[in-house]
Amino acid sequence: MFPTEIGYPGPTATGAEPGLVLTAGSNPSWKGTDGLVRPDIWSNEGSHVSENDGTEGRGSTRPTPSWIEDDTVDTKGKKAHRSKPFDIFRHWGNLSPFYSVPPDSFGITSSTGPEVPPTCELKGVHILHRHGARYPTAWFGFGSPAAFASRIHKVASSTPIEAHGALSFLNTWTYKLGTDVLTPFGRQQLFDLGVSMRMKYGSMLEGFTDRLPVFRTESQDRMLASATNFALGFFGWPLDEKLLLSVTVEADQFNNTLAPYKTCPNDSKPAIGDRGTYYVKQWVSVYLQEALQRIQGLLKGYTLTLEDVYTMQMMCAYETVALGYSKFCELFTEEEWEGFEYAIDLYFWYDSGFGSPVARALGSGYVLELLSRLTETPIVSVSSQPTKSKTTFSVNTTLDSNSLTFPLDQPLYVDATHEVVIVNILTALNLTVLAKDGPPSSAKMTRGRTWVSSRVAPFASNMQIQLLSCSDPHLASDTQLRIILNDGVVALTGIEGCHHQKDGMCPVTTFIKAQKKLVEGSDWQWTCHGNWTVPEGDAWQTITGDPPTREDSH
């Protein structure tokens, strides 16, 4: 390797730290799709491709399918027609690239955003972010791209397969995706996110005059790579003497709040930890029937299943974030892409969110750590921690009781995790505005719903918890807290004592008291190690992320 430090660097004086959330009147909107190519049929406003070749183009001229309930309303209470161009990138659920969500996404009706309210000063921020775009995981579950490729290639090895029209690309198609690690676009996402957060919260570094900030991530390849790329964006190269990166072990039997499922045996049971797949299969049998017939008409030598067609939609998303473009995207209508996103909404609601029987317990470990930071109380053991809980959940007390690896007095915290854990944490925090529509149905989807996975947990998803000092006499306390999810302020009205406030703020003391109560009411031992199960489908439901009680299970 050629030497890089050869002297003669030229002038190196830097300027003041940026702080967009403090100085700008509005927040820069994040589109997050630079480097990706839209399918031709949606590349221009109003374009439409003929159905003769099997493509469906824009859906504005098509009647709304019976499986969609259009509940989108305008400010006067009337149903509104979609006026913005269809954006396919925002209909891939957790596979969508992060973008700035509409300001009213999470229960706040004002136009407030991440920028600090006029009467307040920023005192601290806790940032939790997901990894960037990755290849499919090694798990061969329903809709696995690798399994789909194996089925196609196996049949093709003995029987000629002939595709035509919009599917003709399949004649020469080969599977080009890797497994689990970040794609080049995913690396870019986290670098860009780091730059964005430095622009917003760079002023918080002024609180680290005699120490280095500690950021956290996990040992899994894409987690370490994501945290490193974030740090490069946030601090710039080189990273030496700019931060301490605490890399926690992500493996079975290792306590880790950023991968809590590794110490929760019940979550590995399909009936408990994979409840969402049942609903996805039910929904796929509703919204993809027409697509199955249409695409099968373009293919000879291979009989498609509903899972195959669903996986083609998966292939569209994965190939795009991995290779920049995918021909699979052109096979479906706008409404079918809405249906695809809803399939993923169902999956995350019942697998990781308010409809999961283990979600609250899995997310409570991080909430306990948040309380530890907010109260500056170390988590040493069950009897020495910020709450009266009888457990420390998935907290690694060896690390969290050490002020070097888990400091409690930083003005800026950054933790990297997975999308399932972000959804677990949103559930544990009891952000009920996300669940106000109740359990989603696998028979019909509703437009205008609050639970939308692309807004909650896309690639590079991020949650910012701001700590504010305010001089507004109308506020109950000088010290306020608010939560921002993918640039949308979240209403905290589901948290006990937190009332509606136009900027989404709640007194920190009120928030702490309510979260302590929630943590103390979550039973890790029963949830993760208890002898219980739940039936498939709607025969059993939860909207709090809790399992059946001990009494109900006998």
Side-chain angles (χ1 to χ4, degrees):
M1 182 176 179
F2 293 135
T4 56
E5 296 185 12
I6 62 171
Y8 309 98
T12 58
T14 188
E17 284 293 346
L20 268 178
V21 294
L22 292 166
T23 59
S26 61
N27 182 64
S29 180
W30 192 265
K31 294 182 175 61
T33 54
D34 288 347
L36 306 182
V37 178
R38 282 180 172 79
D40 289 340
I41 57 175
W42 288 305
S43 61
N44 297 305
E45 174 74 23
S47 61
H48 184 82
V49 178
S50 169
E51 296 183 14
N52 294 334
D53 67 351
T55 58
E56 289 297 306
R58 297 182 56 80
S60 58
T61 60
R62 295 167 52 85
T64 301
S66 60
W67 39 265
I68 293 180
E69 181 179 341
D70 196 344
D71 195 35
T72 306
V73 295
D74 61 19
T75 55
K76 297 181 180 180
K78 297 181 180 179
K79 287 192 175 182
H81 297 286
R82 288 178 294 166
S83 58
K84 294 183 179 180
F86 179 77
D87 190 344
I88 189 174
F89 296 140
R90 298 187 180 186
H91 290 83
W92 293 342
N94 68 314
L95 307 182
S96 287
F98 154 60
Y99 64 94
S100 296
V101 303
D104 61 351
S105 295
F106 307 125
I108 298 296
T109 55
S110 68
S111 59
T112 187
E115 61 276 7
V116 172
T119 61
C120 301
E121 295 181 4
L122 183 70
K123 294 300 182 182
V125 63
H126 301 246
I127 298 172
L128 179 70
H129 70 82
R130 185 192 175 193
H131 57 75
R134 56 162 171 76
Y135 294 108
T137 63
W139 181 61
F140 267 39
F142 185 79
S144 164
F148 167 75
S150 295
R151 291 193 296 271
I152 290 287
H153 294 318
K154 182 179 180 180
V155 172
S157 65
S158 59
T159 304
I161 294 179
E162 181 183 348
H164 63 274
L167 196 61
S168 59
F169 70 90
L170 198 65
N171 293 322
T172 56
W173 175 81
T174 57
Y175 188 71
K176 299 179 178 67
L177 302 178
T179 304
D180 281 299
V181 301
L182 292 184
T183 68
F185 173 71
R187 296 197 298 270
Q188 175 194 340
Q189 279 189 295
L190 265 294
F191 180 87
D192 289 347
L193 184 64
V195 173
S196 172
M197 291 302 169
R198 180 64 175 263
M199 294 300 291
K200 290 177 180 175
Y201 299 112
S203 60
M204 293 294 97
L205 291 177
E206 296 170 359
F208 293 95
T209 55
D210 58 350
R211 55 187 169 154
L212 296 177
V214 176
F215 290 5
R216 294 193 305 166
T217 190
E218 300 96 278
S219 59
Q220 191 182 72
D221 184 276
R222 68 175 177 269
M223 297 311 309
L224 180 55
S226 291
T228 302
N229 279 287
F230 179 97
L232 285 168
F234 192 88
F235 293 105
W237 179 88
L239 292 176
D240 301 342
E241 302 302 318
K242 291 180 180 175
L243 85 159
L244 297 172
L245 185 59
S246 176
V247 183
T248 58
V249 176
E250 181 171 349
D252 291 343
Q253 306 307 313
F254 283 86
N255 279 326
N256 191 334
T257 60
L258 303 176
Y261 40 79
K262 292 295 186 180
T263 50
C264 183
N266 279 346
D267 188 49
S268 65
K269 299 176 181 178
I272 294 174
D274 193 30
R275 267 176 59 77
T277 297
Y278 166 85
Y279 290 92
V280 172
K281 290 179 179 178
Q282 295 296 309
W283 176 239
V284 163
S285 71
V286 172
Y287 87 95
L288 283 179
Q289 290 288 353
E290 183 179 326
L292 173 61
Q293 297 176 31
R294 185 176 69 245
I295 298 173
Q296 184 65 71
L298 306 175
L299 185 63
K300 296 179 180 179
Y302 182 91
T303 302
L304 292 168
T305 66
L306 283 166
E307 181 180 2
D308 289 330
V309 179
Y310 175 67
T311 311
M312 287 179 174
Q313 292 188 294
M314 284 281 187
M315 287 299 309
C316 161
Y318 275 119
E319 284 192 340
T320 301
V321 299
L323 308 174
Y325 178 77
S326 175
K327 292 292 288 184
F328 283 103
C329 301
E330 300 180 14
L331 299 174
F332 302 93
T333 68
E334 290 183 17
E335 291 81 9
E336 286 160 357
W337 282 116
E338 289 185 76
F340 176 71
E341 174 165 62
Y342 188 64
I344 299 179
D345 295 350
L346 287 166
Y347 183 80
F348 277 91
W349 173 276
Y350 291 105
D351 253 47
S352 307
F354 293 89
S356 161
V358 294
R360 182 180 173 193
L362 291 176
S364 290
Y366 182 86
V367 177
L368 182 59
E369 289 183 327
L370 176 62
L371 289 170
S372 176
R373 289 166 168 171
L374 291 175
T375 63
E376 297 191 13
T377 306
I379 305 171
V380 179
S381 64
V382 172
S383 59
S384 180
Q385 55 146 312
T387 76
K388 296 178 182 178
S389 174
K390 297 178 181 179
T391 179
T392 53
F393 301 92
S394 57
V395 169
N396 188 316
T397 54
T398 301
L399 296 175
D400 283 18
S401 62
N402 187 326
S403 60
L404 177 63
T405 51
F406 194 77
L408 301 177
D409 58 350
Q410 294 189 163
L412 168 70
Y413 298 92
V414 178
D415 296 322
T417 188
H418 301 270
E419 77 273 36
V420 293
V421 184
I422 290 177
V423 176
N424 292 159
I425 292 167
L426 297 174
T427 304
L429 288 168
N430 203 38
L431 301 181
T432 56
V433 66
L434 299 174
K436 70 181 184 68
D437 299 326
S441 165
S442 58
K444 179 175 284 192
M445 63 162 276
T446 302
R447 287 176 176 156
R449 62 193 181 277
T450 302
W451 184 259
V452 181
S453 49
S454 66
R455 296 182 178 183
V456 172
F459 283 132
S461 177
N462 58 93
M463 178 173 70
Q464 306 152 43
I465 302 178
Q466 294 180 344
L467 300 177
L468 307 167
S469 176
C470 303
S471 58
D472 188 340
H474 297 99
L475 297 174
S477 171
D478 292 343
T479 308
Q480 299 284 317
L481 174 150
R482 64 182 191 153
I483 295 176
I484 297 158
L485 182 61
N486 297 320
D487 287 345
V489 181
V490 183
L492 304 182
T493 49
I495 298 172
E496 186 175 340
C498 294
H499 305 295
H500 177 76
Q501 202 275 335
K502 65 181 181 64
D503 295 308
M505 294 190 291
C506 178
V508 172
T509 52
T510 301
F511 179 87
I512 290 173
K513 181 180 179 181
Q515 293 302 326
K516 283 184 177 182
K517 186 176 180 180
L518 286 168
V519 166
E520 290 164 2
S522 183
D523 191 337
W524 171 268
Q525 186 62 33
W526 173 247
T527 301
C528 289
H529 301 276
N531 182 21
W532 58 270
T533 189
V534 291
E536 190 174 59
D538 294 338
W540 180 87
Q541 291 274 16
T542 177
I543 56 171
T544 60
D546 289 308
T549 65
R550 295 172 186 262
E551 293 76 16
D552 290 342
S553 297
H554 293 306

mmCIF file of all heavy atoms in Angstrom, residues 67-83:
data_model
loop_
_atom_site.group_PDB
_atom_site.id
_atom_site.type_symbol
_atom_site.label_atom_id
_atom_site.label_comp_id
_atom_site.label_asym_id
_atom_site.label_seq_id
_atom_site.Cartn_x
_atom_site.Cartn_y
_atom_site.Cartn_z
ATOM 1 N N TRP A 67 -59.803 -5.040 -3.073
ATOM 2 C CA TRP A 67 -59.067 -5.327 -1.837
ATOM 3 C C TRP A 67 -58.420 -4.087 -1.229
ATOM 4 O O TRP A 67 -57.691 -4.174 -0.239
ATOM 5 C CB TRP A 67 -58.014 -6.419 -2.058
ATOM 6 C CG TRP A 67 -57.267 -6.387 -3.351
ATOM 7 C CD1 TRP A 67 -57.564 -7.088 -4.480
ATOM 8 C CD2 TRP A 67 -56.088 -5.628 -3.654
ATOM 9 N NE1 TRP A 67 -56.641 -6.814 -5.478
ATOM 10 C CE2 TRP A 67 -55.728 -5.932 -4.991
ATOM 11 C CE3 TRP A 67 -55.298 -4.737 -2.934
ATOM 12 C CZ2 TRP A 67 -54.607 -5.364 -5.611
ATOM 13 C CZ3 TRP A 67 -54.193 -4.166 -3.546
ATOM 14 C CH2 TRP A 67 -53.860 -4.484 -4.865
ATOM 15 N N ILE A 68 -58.676 -2.909 -1.828
ATOM 16 C CA ILE A 68 -58.187 -1.650 -1.254
ATOM 17 C C ILE A 68 -59.357 -0.829 -0.754
ATOM 18 O O ILE A 68 -60.305 -0.563 -1.491
ATOM 19 C CB ILE A 68 -57.401 -0.820 -2.285
ATOM 20 C CG1 ILE A 68 -56.101 -1.523 -2.677
ATOM 21 C CG2 ILE A 68 -57.086 0.566 -1.728
ATOM 22 C CD1 ILE A 68 -55.276 -0.751 -3.688
ATOM 23 N N GLU A 69 -59.309 -0.432 0.494
ATOM 24 C CA GLU A 69 -60.277 0.515 1.045
ATOM 25 C C GLU A 69 -59.605 1.869 1.085
ATOM 26 O O GLU A 69 -58.651 2.076 1.845
ATOM 27 C CB GLU A 69 -60.716 0.105 2.452
ATOM 28 C CG GLU A 69 -61.736 1.047 3.069
ATOM 29 C CD GLU A 69 -62.166 0.614 4.459
ATOM 30 O OE1 GLU A 69 -61.962 -0.569 4.806
ATOM 31 O OE2 GLU A 69 -62.703 1.448 5.200
ATOM 32 N N ASP A 70 -60.054 2.783 0.251
ATOM 33 C CA ASP A 70 -59.405 4.093 0.132
ATOM 34 C C ASP A 70 -59.900 5.007 1.241
ATOM 35 O O ASP A 70 -60.966 5.608 1.151
ATOM 36 C CB ASP A 70 -59.696 4.711 -1.234
ATOM 37 C CG ASP A 70 -58.745 5.862 -1.536
ATOM 38 O OD1 ASP A 70 -58.112 6.348 -0.583
ATOM 39 O OD2 ASP A 70 -58.624 6.242 -2.704
ATOM 40 N N ASP A 71 -59.091 5.116 2.291
ATOM 41 C CA ASP A 71 -59.469 5.930 3.437
ATOM 42 C C ASP A 71 -58.673 7.236 3.474
ATOM 43 O O ASP A 71 -58.579 7.891 4.491
ATOM 44 C CB ASP A 71 -59.223 5.140 4.729
ATOM 45 C CG ASP A 71 -59.917 5.750 5.933
ATOM 46 O OD1 ASP A 71 -61.018 6.294 5.769
ATOM 47 O OD2 ASP A 71 -59.338 5.701 7.031
ATOM 48 N N THR A 72 -58.059 7.580 2.332
ATOM 49 C CA THR A 72 -57.299 8.824 2.266
ATOM 50 C C THR A 72 -58.274 9.993 2.222
ATOM 51 O O THR A 72 -59.138 10.057 1.355
ATOM 52 C CB THR A 72 -56.411 8.844 1.009
ATOM 53 O OG1 THR A 72 -55.615 7.662 0.992
ATOM 54 C CG2 THR A 72 -55.502 10.053 1.015
ATOM 55 N N VAL A 73 -58.138 10.919 3.168
ATOM 56 C CA VAL A 73 -59.055 12.054 3.227
ATOM 57 C C VAL A 73 -58.276 13.354 3.181
ATOM 58 O O VAL A 73 -57.111 13.426 3.561
ATOM 59 C CB VAL A 73 -59.925 12.018 4.508
ATOM 60 C CG1 VAL A 73 -60.832 10.814 4.496
ATOM 61 C CG2 VAL A 73 -59.048 12.018 5.757
ATOM 62 N N ASP A 74 -58.943 14.409 2.690
ATOM 63 C CA ASP A 74 -58.302 15.716 2.664
ATOM 64 C C ASP A 74 -58.649 16.471 3.945
ATOM 65 O O ASP A 74 -59.285 15.942 4.856
ATOM 66 C CB ASP A 74 -58.710 16.501 1.417
ATOM 67 C CG ASP A 74 -60.209 16.763 1.350
ATOM 68 O OD1 ASP A 74 -60.882 16.669 2.404
ATOM 69 O OD2 ASP A 74 -60.709 17.070 0.253
ATOM 70 N N THR A 75 -58.236 17.730 4.020
ATOM 71 C CA THR A 75 -58.431 18.505 5.248
ATOM 72 C C THR A 75 -59.886 18.783 5.554
ATOM 73 O O THR A 75 -60.235 19.146 6.669
ATOM 74 C CB THR A 75 -57.675 19.839 5.144
ATOM 75 O OG1 THR A 75 -58.093 20.531 3.956
ATOM 76 C CG2 THR A 75 -56.170 19.592 5.076
ATOM 77 N N LYS A 76 -60.771 18.624 4.555
ATOM 78 C CA LYS A 76 -62.200 18.857 4.772
ATOM 79 C C LYS A 76 -62.966 17.565 5.032
ATOM 80 O O LYS A 76 -64.189 17.556 5.078
ATOM 81 C CB LYS A 76 -62.788 19.576 3.554
ATOM 82 C CG LYS A 76 -62.196 20.957 3.318
ATOM 83 C CD LYS A 76 -62.832 21.628 2.105
ATOM 84 C CE LYS A 76 -62.241 23.019 1.866
ATOM 85 N NZ LYS A 76 -62.839 23.674 0.689
ATOM 86 N N GLY A 77 -62.213 16.483 5.204
ATOM 87 C CA GLY A 77 -62.856 15.218 5.505
ATOM 88 C C GLY A 77 -63.326 14.453 4.293
ATOM 89 O O GLY A 77 -63.949 13.403 4.404
ATOM 90 N N LYS A 78 -63.035 14.966 3.094
ATOM 91 C CA LYS A 78 -63.439 14.288 1.873
ATOM 92 C C LYS A 78 -62.298 13.420 1.356
ATOM 93 O O LYS A 78 -61.134 13.727 1.553
ATOM 94 C CB LYS A 78 -63.836 15.310 0.804
ATOM 95 C CG LYS A 78 -65.046 16.164 1.184
ATOM 96 C CD LYS A 78 -65.376 17.141 0.062
ATOM 97 C CE LYS A 78 -66.593 17.994 0.426
ATOM 98 N NZ LYS A 78 -66.917 18.959 -0.653
ATOM 99 N N LYS A 79 -62.657 12.348 0.685
ATOM 100 C CA LYS A 79 -61.630 11.478 0.122
ATOM 101 C C LYS A 79 -60.827 12.233 -0.927
ATOM 102 O O LYS A 79 -61.375 12.885 -1.800
ATOM 103 C CB LYS A 79 -62.263 10.219 -0.483
ATOM 104 C CG LYS A 79 -62.764 9.249 0.579
ATOM 105 C CD LYS A 79 -63.115 7.908 -0.026
ATOM 106 C CE LYS A 79 -63.507 6.918 1.092
ATOM 107 N NZ LYS A 79 -63.810 5.585 0.535
ATOM 108 N N ALA A 80 -59.514 12.134 -0.774
ATOM 109 C CA ALA A 80 -58.627 12.868 -1.673
ATOM 110 C C ALA A 80 -58.043 11.941 -2.728
ATOM 111 O O ALA A 80 -57.763 10.779 -2.455
ATOM 112 C CB ALA A 80 -57.493 13.511 -0.864
ATOM 113 N N HIS A 81 -57.874 12.456 -3.914
ATOM 114 C CA HIS A 81 -57.236 11.688 -4.978
ATOM 115 C C HIS A 81 -55.737 11.953 -4.940
ATOM 116 O O HIS A 81 -55.300 13.068 -4.682
ATOM 117 C CB HIS A 81 -57.814 12.085 -6.336
ATOM 118 C CG HIS A 81 -59.263 11.781 -6.476
ATOM 119 N ND1 HIS A 81 -59.743 10.502 -6.660
ATOM 120 C CD2 HIS A 81 -60.347 12.599 -6.432
ATOM 121 C CE1 HIS A 81 -61.068 10.545 -6.752
ATOM 122 N NE2 HIS A 81 -61.455 11.800 -6.612
ATOM 123 N N ARG A 82 -54.964 10.912 -5.186
ATOM 124 C CA ARG A 82 -53.518 11.069 -5.184
ATOM 125 C C ARG A 82 -53.100 11.969 -6.340
ATOM 126 O O ARG A 82 -53.416 11.710 -7.492
ATOM 127 C CB ARG A 82 -52.848 9.697 -5.317
ATOM 128 C CG ARG A 82 -52.958 8.857 -4.058
ATOM 129 C CD ARG A 82 -52.311 7.504 -4.282
ATOM 130 N NE ARG A 82 -53.062 6.741 -5.280
ATOM 131 C CZ ARG A 82 -52.596 5.647 -5.872
ATOM 132 N NH1 ARG A 82 -51.401 5.209 -5.588
ATOM 133 N NH2 ARG A 82 -53.330 4.992 -6.756
ATOM 134 N N SER A 83 -52.400 13.054 -6.008
ATOM 135 C CA SER A 83 -51.981 14.000 -7.032
ATOM 136 C C SER A 83 -50.483 13.911 -7.311
ATOM 137 O O SER A 83 -50.015 14.381 -8.343
ATOM 138 C CB SER A 83 -52.329 15.431 -6.601
ATOM 139 O OG SER A 83 -51.718 15.733 -5.361
#
